[in-house]
Amino acid sequence: QLPCVCWSTYFMSSATLPSTITLFYGADVQEAEAEALTEKLTQKYPDLEISFHNGTQPLYYYLISIE
């Protein structure tokens, strides 16, 4: 739920919409979880290019790049 809330908040407050979102998933996240989140976001925002990569960061579940 949280990632979708974050996206909605960003989109409502931004004057320009992004074209690309990249998720870097952390050490405590399984690849299947990141893939499922990416699929969910792709369904919700079909006009955006959304991808995920293993970031292996130890503290954060996800780092998110919005361009």
Side-chain angles (χ1 to χ4, degrees), residues 1-9 11 37 40-41 44-45:
Q1 288 287 348
L2 180 59
C4 291
V5 169
C6 293
W7 300 136
S8 297
T9 302
F11 291 146
L37 176 57
K40 184 183 261 188
L41 291 171
K44 186 164 179 74
Y45 305 105

Side-chain angles (χ1 to χ4, degrees), residues 1 3 6-7 10 13 17 23 28-30 32-33 35 41 54 56-57 60-61 63-64:
Q1 288 287 348
C6 293
W7 300 136
Y10 174 82
S13 66
L17 294 177
L23 305 173
D28 292 335
V29 177
Q30 298 295 314
E33 293 173 298
E35 184 174 13
L41 291 171
N54 188 347
T56 66
Q57 62 271 12
Y60 301 106
Y61 294 114
L63 294 177
I64 303 165

